[in-house]
Amino acid sequence: MSLVTLAIAGSALGILVTGALAMLFLRDPVRGMAAVNHRAEQLPQVMADRYIAFAALALGATVYADLKVIAVLFAVFAFMGLADAVIYARAGHAWMKHFAAGVAAAVVAAVALAALFGATV
């Protein structure tokens, strides 16, 4: 087995594990929190780690300068921002900052896709 195959297999396993955790959280958030050993009281520190990781991903995509990577990454960022906006709006909380972040990320993804498919300004 080549290292390329091994890396792709590891990535596929990551999809399966992450997808299973996402389904668990969707069905039973309390069990999801327990399964991943997260504690609500540490959520601010966990979010700081997440934002550092998101910034590192964006930095890597920017430095790598691959439009496909930028488009996919920022489409995922758009999903997160817009999904959070919906969650907060349904709960009656402020949601506009999440919505704005989602729209901004969607614009970056759209620009990357337009550039990828040869659109000009």
Side-chain angles (χ1 to χ4, degrees):
M1 177 180 300
S2 74
L3 291 177
V4 171
T5 302
L6 190 58
I8 292 170
S11 182
L13 181 60
I15 294 167
L16 293 174
V17 171
T18 305
L21 288 170
M23 294 307 297
L24 178 59
F25 270 97
L26 285 169
R27 287 194 320 261
D28 188 344
V30 173
R31 280 188 56 217
M33 290 288 280
V36 297
N37 293 325
H38 279 297
R39 312 270 313 171
E41 58 271 17
Q42 269 71 49
L43 187 57
Q45 294 99 328
V46 169
M47 291 306 296
D49 293 347
R50 296 298 182 270
Y51 281 112
I52 291 167
F54 296 156
L57 287 169
L59 175 65
T62 302
V63 170
Y64 192 64
D66 185 309
L67 294 173
K68 291 178 242 173
V69 173
I70 292 169
V72 170
L73 178 64
F74 279 85
V76 170
F77 285 171
F79 168 79
M80 288 189 306
L82 296 172
D84 286 355
V86 169
I87 290 166
Y88 284 118
R90 285 182 178 164
H93 299 297
W95 53 271
M96 186 55 74
K97 288 182 181 181
H98 288 92
F99 180 76
V103 169
V107 168
V108 173
V111 170
L113 287 172
L116 185 63
F117 291 106
T120 59
V121 179

